[in-house]
């Protein structure tokens, strides 16, 4: 009975190790990409929320593309924006933006290639393509 228990534990340990090995660890690039999408989505939700302070309407637009060199200035401007300090959701969003900025300029700067420097592209959200039925 003890041998069967040891074999079962060994099998569970091997399966667990195999599952972990098959999952790719996050890369700097994937972290930047996911955080930029998370920030953009949070900003959209904040803008459309009915229960949020009216100062949110005055916030700088926050549509992020980490392949656009202007994203650095966009993040700096958003974090430095003086309004809405009393709104918890805005402070949380600013903290995420600060984290992304830090990742972009220090930890992952070698992993990122800027494909454009079109600052106007960060002012208007890109609409998803229309699906034809």
């Amino acid at each position: 009975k003890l041998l069967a228990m040891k074999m079962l534990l060994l099998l569970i340990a091997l399966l667990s190790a195999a599952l972990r090995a098959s999952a790719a660890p996050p890369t700097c690039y994937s972290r930047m990409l996911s955080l930029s999408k998370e920030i953009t989505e949070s900003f959209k939700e904040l803008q459309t929320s009915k229960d949020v302070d009216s100062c949110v309407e005055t916030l700088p637009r926050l549509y992020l593309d980490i392949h656009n060199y202007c994203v650095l200035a966009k993040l700096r401007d958003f974090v430095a924006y003086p309004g809405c300090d009393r709104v918890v959701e805005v402070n949380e969003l600013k903290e995420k933006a600060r984290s992304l900025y830090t990742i972009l300029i220090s930890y992952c700067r070698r992993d990122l290639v800027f494909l454009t420097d079109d600052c106007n592209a960060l002012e208007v959200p890109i609409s998803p393509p229309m699906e034809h039925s």
Side-chain angles (χ1 to χ4, degrees):
K1 213 172 191 178
L2 186 60
L3 182 60
M5 184 67 96
K6 284 183 181 180
M7 292 298 284
L8 181 60
L9 287 174
L10 180 61
L11 180 62
I12 291 172
L14 288 173
L15 285 173
S16 176
L19 289 175
R20 279 186 299 223
S22 66
T27 62
C28 243
Y29 179 78
S30 66
R31 179 65 184 134
M32 289 183 292
L33 194 58
S34 68
L35 187 54
S36 70
K37 287 179 181 178
E38 181 181 330
I39 291 169
T40 299
E41 285 303 312
S42 295
F43 181 75
K44 286 179 190 175
E45 290 172 10
L46 188 62
Q47 291 287 91
T48 58
S49 175
K50 304 268 190 266
D51 302 326
V52 77
D53 195 287
S54 60
C55 73
V56 170
E57 294 173 7
T58 65
L59 287 172
R61 292 181 183 197
L62 197 57
Y63 305 109
L64 303 179
D65 174 4
I66 62 169
H67 300 103
N68 187 331
Y69 184 74
C70 294
V71 74
L72 298 172
K74 176 64 80 175
L75 289 167
R76 273 193 314 266
D77 291 348
F78 187 79
V79 169
Y81 189 76
C84 289
D85 288 339
R86 65 185 177 273
V87 180
V88 173
E89 295 87 352
V90 172
N91 288 326
E92 290 171 354
L93 198 53
K94 283 184 176 185
E95 193 56 41
K96 286 180 185 180
R98 188 177 291 113
S99 294
L100 179 59
Y101 182 80
T102 301
I103 291 169
L104 285 167
I105 64 165
S106 58
Y107 302 114
C108 303
R109 70 174 179 260
R110 291 185 193 108
D111 293 356
L112 187 61
V113 174
F114 295 111
L115 303 175
T116 183
D117 61 354
D118 181 6
C119 296
N120 289 330
L122 297 178
E123 292 300 316
V124 180
I126 298 170
S127 303
M130 297 291 290
E131 292 185 22
H132 300 289
S133 47

